[in-house]
Amino acid sequence: MLNLDERQLKALHTRANLRRFLECIHAGHVEKIAKMCSKGLDPNFHCSESGETPLTVATGAKKPNKLLIALVNGGALLDYRTKDGTTALHKAVEKDSLEAVT
């Protein structure tokens, strides 16, 4: 269990850190994603521009398996919905990504 106080968590969840986290997902940096989650970053948030969640962004990657596993191991909820009400499974089906669905 992480021992972080509220001030440390607020410092970790800045707009720049969340944007950097999404950039790591787009680039496929699994190690960086796991490291940021282990430091205490919560992967259950909405992107301020698109309303997507990190899991729904990861379903669009070319090789989503390792990204999705890293996010779920980091605490991402499978049924966390985007602003328009879809889950990562919905997005994976829309994109015809068999890897992401499995």
Side-chain angles (χ1 to χ4, degrees), residues 22-102:
L22 288 173
E23 287 172 3
C24 288
I25 293 171
H26 282 294
H29 299 292
V30 177
E31 297 83 21
K32 288 183 181 181
I33 293 168
K35 185 177 179 181
M36 291 175 88
C37 288
S38 68
K39 286 185 177 182
L41 188 117
D42 184 16
N44 300 307
F45 65 90
H46 294 108
C47 175
S48 58
E49 291 89 29
S50 65
E52 298 289 322
T53 66
L55 272 179
T56 58
V57 172
T59 59
K62 291 182 182 177
K63 296 285 185 178
N65 287 348
K66 291 182 181 181
L67 287 173
L68 293 170
I69 290 170
L71 286 168
V72 170
N73 288 342
L77 301 173
L78 292 175
D79 59 345
Y80 192 69
R81 296 179 180 267
T82 62
K83 293 222 178 193
D84 64 351
T86 59
T87 63
L89 184 60
H90 291 119
K91 293 289 183 176
V93 171
E94 285 176 6
K95 297 174 183 176
D96 291 328
S97 176
L98 181 62
E99 286 185 54
V101 171
T102 56

